[in-house]
Amino acid sequence: MNQISKIIKSRIQNSGPITFADFMELALYHPEHGYYASGKVRFGKDGDFYTSPYVHNAFGQIIAGFIVKSREAIGGTSISILELGAGKGYLALDALDTLRNNYPECYEKVFYAVVEGSSELIKASKNVLKEHQHKIQWYSSIDKLEGCSITGVIVSNELFDSLPFHRMIFQGGSPIEIYVSTKDNEFVEIMDIASSEELIEYLGGIDLVESQEIEINLEAKKWYEKLGKILAKGFVLTIDYGYLAGELFSPKRMKGTYKSLYRNSINEDVYSNIGERDITAHVDFSNLIKLGQSHGLNKFIYTTQGQFLIDWGILTAIEREKDYRKRMAIKNLFLPESMGDSFKVLLQEKGINNFEDFYQASPFKISFNIS
């Protein structure tokens, strides 16, 4: 039994069953032994999962083009970019490389801030981004930005799917919560009344069928409360896998969407190799839209990653790529059968009077060479 398993079991034995959200918080974010804090996160072909920046640097180049266009829409000269959950920093690297090499005037006016809760990943990203370190400030928590006000773009790629979530099941005509307990020193799941009224309120208007399971992410509300205060003017760009509520909570997903990722295998085994595997669930984009509207992000565009990348110039990028394998990698970012449809993009604005014109101006024809 590893250390984090001992810690979780000790808490249960001392205080009783815990919510799945509490289990996930410890398993992923314990400051010493959690998956993200321990330095055991593995990206890429030989790791636990892929993210778009690991597929091809064209993804970051498209984000750079979006930043250039955003600066024009916002007005003024300087622009701040705040990346949430930046990992090892490859999205920032590709975006900043592109700005420096192709849009030097914009690069000079960009300030980049990174929020990353893992000290190991911050250390890794500082090495990855060493050529741009004069442009970047690292923060261990979004709470460190309290009182700050930025004009620019807040971007996240696969952040919200990894936030701790509660698990609920509809039984006997009522929603009840799934808790984590122990029996004979093994983890077991038990069911009891919801741990908070907020979970019941979240379910308002959602129709479930008998024995259907769903995940509810209450952490997103805390993030949006902070984002609404931090962003003075600009955009929130959220990239993740998920659906609108009607699709996400459809009866065809009777077991919900939660998954465990371990060495590029995907299953529902969350109770083995704790601290060495990721735990995730699809994002409820309807909830993110409502949260944004509650905090001043009134207009939005919701689309697939594939359509967003096409709108902002990915076809130009693929035309410029001569290497066949790299061309196929770019295609994986936007084709429907790959990442193009499974990942969604939510773009929300604050204080942008010409928001519709801004997006209709795409595709933004990127003018750099793919390297």
Side-chain angles (χ1 to χ4, degrees), residues 15 92 112 117 132 136 171 194 202 288 294 332:
S15 304
Y112 208 106
H132 302 287
I136 304 173
Q171 284 193 345
Y202 192 105
L288 300 192
S294 297
N332 285 335

PDB file of all heavy atoms in Angstrom, residues 15 92 112 117 132 136 171 194 202 288 294 332:
ATOM      1  N   SER A  15     -12.602   9.581  10.544  1.00  0.00           N
ATOM      2  CA  SER A  15     -13.709  10.535  10.410  1.00  0.00           C
ATOM      3  C   SER A  15     -14.933   9.984   9.696  1.00  0.00           C
ATOM      4  O   SER A  15     -15.944  10.677   9.592  1.00  0.00           O
ATOM      5  CB  SER A  15     -13.220  11.783   9.661  1.00  0.00           C
ATOM      6  OG  SER A  15     -12.094  12.356  10.306  1.00  0.00           O
ATOM      7  N   ALA A  92       2.222  27.289 -23.647  1.00  0.00           N
ATOM      8  CA  ALA A  92       2.826  28.616 -23.525  1.00  0.00           C
ATOM      9  C   ALA A  92       4.047  28.751 -24.412  1.00  0.00           C
ATOM     10  O   ALA A  92       4.259  29.783 -25.065  1.00  0.00           O
ATOM     11  CB  ALA A  92       3.188  28.890 -22.062  1.00  0.00           C
ATOM     12  N   TYR A 112       2.707  37.140 -19.727  1.00  0.00           N
ATOM     13  CA  TYR A 112       2.132  35.795 -19.601  1.00  0.00           C
ATOM     14  C   TYR A 112       2.222  35.344 -18.145  1.00  0.00           C
ATOM     15  O   TYR A 112       3.293  35.362 -17.544  1.00  0.00           O
ATOM     16  CB  TYR A 112       2.911  34.817 -20.481  1.00  0.00           C
ATOM     17  CG  TYR A 112       2.122  33.622 -20.978  1.00  0.00           C
ATOM     18  CD1 TYR A 112       1.706  33.552 -22.305  1.00  0.00           C
ATOM     19  CD2 TYR A 112       1.812  32.555 -20.143  1.00  0.00           C
ATOM     20  CE1 TYR A 112       0.999  32.463 -22.789  1.00  0.00           C
ATOM     21  CE2 TYR A 112       1.100  31.463 -20.607  1.00  0.00           C
ATOM     22  CZ  TYR A 112       0.700  31.418 -21.932  1.00  0.00           C
ATOM     23  OH  TYR A 112      -0.004  30.337 -22.411  1.00  0.00           O
ATOM     24  N   GLY A 117      -0.629  24.284  -9.875  1.00  0.00           N
ATOM     25  CA  GLY A 117      -0.585  23.892  -8.470  1.00  0.00           C
ATOM     26  C   GLY A 117       0.522  22.950  -8.096  1.00  0.00           C
ATOM     27  O   GLY A 117       0.838  22.796  -6.911  1.00  0.00           O
ATOM     28  N   HIS A 132      11.742  32.449 -22.451  1.00  0.00           N
ATOM     29  CA  HIS A 132      10.711  33.479 -22.309  1.00  0.00           C
ATOM     30  C   HIS A 132      10.498  33.893 -20.852  1.00  0.00           C
ATOM     31  O   HIS A 132       9.505  34.554 -20.543  1.00  0.00           O
ATOM     32  CB  HIS A 132       9.380  32.970 -22.874  1.00  0.00           C
ATOM     33  CG  HIS A 132       9.436  32.553 -24.309  1.00  0.00           C
ATOM     34  ND1 HIS A 132       9.521  33.446 -25.346  1.00  0.00           N
ATOM     35  CD2 HIS A 132       9.433  31.310 -24.877  1.00  0.00           C
ATOM     36  CE1 HIS A 132       9.544  32.784 -26.503  1.00  0.00           C
ATOM     37  NE2 HIS A 132       9.490  31.501 -26.237  1.00  0.00           N
ATOM     38  N   ILE A 136       7.215  35.972 -18.135  1.00  0.00           N
ATOM     39  CA  ILE A 136       6.299  35.076 -17.433  1.00  0.00           C
ATOM     40  C   ILE A 136       6.414  35.230 -15.921  1.00  0.00           C
ATOM     41  O   ILE A 136       7.505  35.412 -15.367  1.00  0.00           O
ATOM     42  CB  ILE A 136       6.597  33.602 -17.808  1.00  0.00           C
ATOM     43  CG1 ILE A 136       6.524  33.418 -19.328  1.00  0.00           C
ATOM     44  CG2 ILE A 136       5.605  32.646 -17.124  1.00  0.00           C
ATOM     45  CD1 ILE A 136       6.958  32.054 -19.800  1.00  0.00           C
ATOM     46  N   GLN A 171     -31.797   6.851  -7.317  1.00  0.00           N
ATOM     47  CA  GLN A 171     -32.386   5.595  -6.841  1.00  0.00           C
ATOM     48  C   GLN A 171     -33.687   5.870  -6.096  1.00  0.00           C
ATOM     49  O   GLN A 171     -33.763   6.802  -5.291  1.00  0.00           O
ATOM     50  CB  GLN A 171     -31.417   4.849  -5.922  1.00  0.00           C
ATOM     51  CG  GLN A 171     -30.291   4.149  -6.666  1.00  0.00           C
ATOM     52  CD  GLN A 171     -29.544   3.170  -5.778  1.00  0.00           C
ATOM     53  OE1 GLN A 171     -29.658   3.195  -4.555  1.00  0.00           O
ATOM     54  NE2 GLN A 171     -28.762   2.296  -6.394  1.00  0.00           N
ATOM     55  N   ALA A 194     -27.203  13.354   0.036  1.00  0.00           N
ATOM     56  CA  ALA A 194     -26.253  14.308  -0.533  1.00  0.00           C
ATOM     57  C   ALA A 194     -25.529  15.080   0.560  1.00  0.00           C
ATOM     58  O   ALA A 194     -26.114  15.445   1.583  1.00  0.00           O
ATOM     59  CB  ALA A 194     -26.983  15.268  -1.463  1.00  0.00           C
ATOM     60  N   TYR A 202     -28.086  21.815  -8.053  1.00  0.00           N
ATOM     61  CA  TYR A 202     -27.440  21.614  -9.355  1.00  0.00           C
ATOM     62  C   TYR A 202     -28.313  20.743 -10.258  1.00  0.00           C
ATOM     63  O   TYR A 202     -28.365  20.935 -11.479  1.00  0.00           O
ATOM     64  CB  TYR A 202     -26.079  20.943  -9.145  1.00  0.00           C
ATOM     65  CG  TYR A 202     -25.174  20.923 -10.357  1.00  0.00           C
ATOM     66  CD1 TYR A 202     -24.082  21.779 -10.427  1.00  0.00           C
ATOM     67  CD2 TYR A 202     -25.382  20.046 -11.420  1.00  0.00           C
ATOM     68  CE1 TYR A 202     -23.225  21.765 -11.522  1.00  0.00           C
ATOM     69  CE2 TYR A 202     -24.540  20.035 -12.524  1.00  0.00           C
ATOM     70  CZ  TYR A 202     -23.458  20.888 -12.571  1.00  0.00           C
ATOM     71  OH  TYR A 202     -22.625  20.881 -13.664  1.00  0.00           O
ATOM     72  N   LEU A 288     -20.698  25.840 -17.144  1.00  0.00           N
ATOM     73  CA  LEU A 288     -19.682  26.882 -17.325  1.00  0.00           C
ATOM     74  C   LEU A 288     -20.282  28.129 -17.964  1.00  0.00           C
ATOM     75  O   LEU A 288     -19.911  29.257 -17.623  1.00  0.00           O
ATOM     76  CB  LEU A 288     -18.523  26.362 -18.177  1.00  0.00           C
ATOM     77  CG  LEU A 288     -17.740  25.153 -17.646  1.00  0.00           C
ATOM     78  CD1 LEU A 288     -16.466  24.957 -18.464  1.00  0.00           C
ATOM     79  CD2 LEU A 288     -17.409  25.288 -16.168  1.00  0.00           C
ATOM     80  N   SER A 294     -23.097  34.571 -14.673  1.00  0.00           N
ATOM     81  CA  SER A 294     -23.259  35.069 -13.300  1.00  0.00           C
ATOM     82  C   SER A 294     -22.127  35.992 -12.885  1.00  0.00           C
ATOM     83  O   SER A 294     -22.240  36.704 -11.882  1.00  0.00           O
ATOM     84  CB  SER A 294     -23.327  33.885 -12.320  1.00  0.00           C
ATOM     85  OG  SER A 294     -24.457  33.080 -12.579  1.00  0.00           O
ATOM     86  N   ASN A 332      -5.092  15.075 -36.433  1.00  0.00           N
ATOM     87  CA  ASN A 332      -5.662  14.513 -35.202  1.00  0.00           C
ATOM     88  C   ASN A 332      -6.249  15.587 -34.300  1.00  0.00           C
ATOM     89  O   ASN A 332      -7.138  15.312 -33.487  1.00  0.00           O
ATOM     90  CB  ASN A 332      -4.591  13.733 -34.431  1.00  0.00           C
ATOM     91  CG  ASN A 332      -4.286  12.394 -35.054  1.00  0.00           C
ATOM     92  OD1 ASN A 332      -5.121  11.812 -35.748  1.00  0.00           O
ATOM     93  ND2 ASN A 332      -3.075  11.895 -34.830  1.00  0.00           N
TER      94      ASN A 332
END
